[in-house]
Amino acid sequence: MAQVTQLPLYALDKIQYLPGGEEISHKEYLKLHAELLKQDTWIIDGFGCMQSAWERFAAADTLIYIDLPLVWHFLWVTKRLFKGIFINPEGWSELSPILKGSINSSRVLWLCHKKLSPAYRKFVNDAASSKHVYHLTSIKAVKTFLVDTDAFY
């Protein structure tokens, strides 16, 4: 998306974690996240924490929600785990512990599925009147969205 739109991309994992996987303080993370939201344009990838996620959702003028069955997200985490044995995952800090990060991602996926996803679906539905909203609910919809550059404008 960043390539197509020419908007700056910020990967939260690279902000939240130092090389080697050490997490910065929560206070520092929230400060850095708030600075990102002050930018005129941005694409932010990642979750961060509940507080920063809801701040980001409120500040964004465009929401892209990839709302697929949970199994797809677990498959992507597993694929990243195996790929990460050979190369550092895109958007991750250098030398981050791939196994620990993958286990954490799996745990977060389950929590998001149970707690955040229902609330986010409602937020996306309500926000459709004031924001650009793309609620993608199939692999085909995701692929079409990524190919159709007009969808970004």
Side-chain angles (χ1 to χ4, degrees):
M1 287 187 290
Q3 289 175 338
V4 171
T5 63
Q6 299 299 304
L7 295 175
L9 172 63
Y10 300 98
L12 290 182
D13 284 343
K14 284 189 172 182
I15 294 167
Q16 225 173 348
Y17 297 94
L18 301 171
E22 182 182 344
E23 192 170 0
I24 66 172
S25 75
H26 187 66
K27 183 178 178 181
E28 181 65 17
Y29 163 73
L30 290 176
K31 179 182 170 194
L32 292 170
H33 183 267
E35 291 299 317
L36 288 180
L37 298 184
K38 291 179 186 176
Q39 307 278 334
D40 287 336
T41 58
W42 42 263
I43 295 175
I44 298 178
D45 176 43
F47 179 71
C49 68
M50 289 295 289
Q51 179 182 343
S52 66
W54 288 111
E55 288 172 356
R56 187 168 55 256
F57 301 159
D61 66 359
T62 303
L63 300 170
I64 303 168
Y65 182 26
I66 301 174
D67 187 12
L68 301 176
L70 189 59
V71 67
W72 278 107
H73 297 282
F74 277 114
L75 286 171
W76 288 334
V77 167
T78 303
K79 178 182 174 184
R80 184 182 64 205
L81 168 64
F82 287 113
K83 194 174 172 183
I85 294 169
F86 304 103
I87 60 170
N88 197 57
E90 188 175 340
W92 281 34
S93 295
E94 288 295 316
L95 305 173
S96 291
I98 186 71
L99 181 60
K100 179 182 174 187
S102 297
I103 290 169
N104 187 48
S105 292
S106 294
R107 187 173 35 251
V108 168
L109 282 176
W110 182 251
L111 290 172
C112 285
H113 175 72
K114 286 296 189 188
K115 300 199 182 265
L116 180 62
S117 292
Y120 190 56
R121 283 184 192 109
K122 181 179 180 340
F123 180 84
V124 165
N125 187 52
D126 294 346
S129 64
S130 61
K131 299 177 183 285
H132 299 283
V133 173
Y134 301 94
H135 188 175
L136 309 175
T137 58
S138 70
I139 296 294
K140 182 179 179 183
V142 172
K143 288 179 180 179
T144 300
F145 180 79
L146 290 173
V147 171
D148 183 7
T149 57
D150 292 337
F152 292 108
Y153 303 105

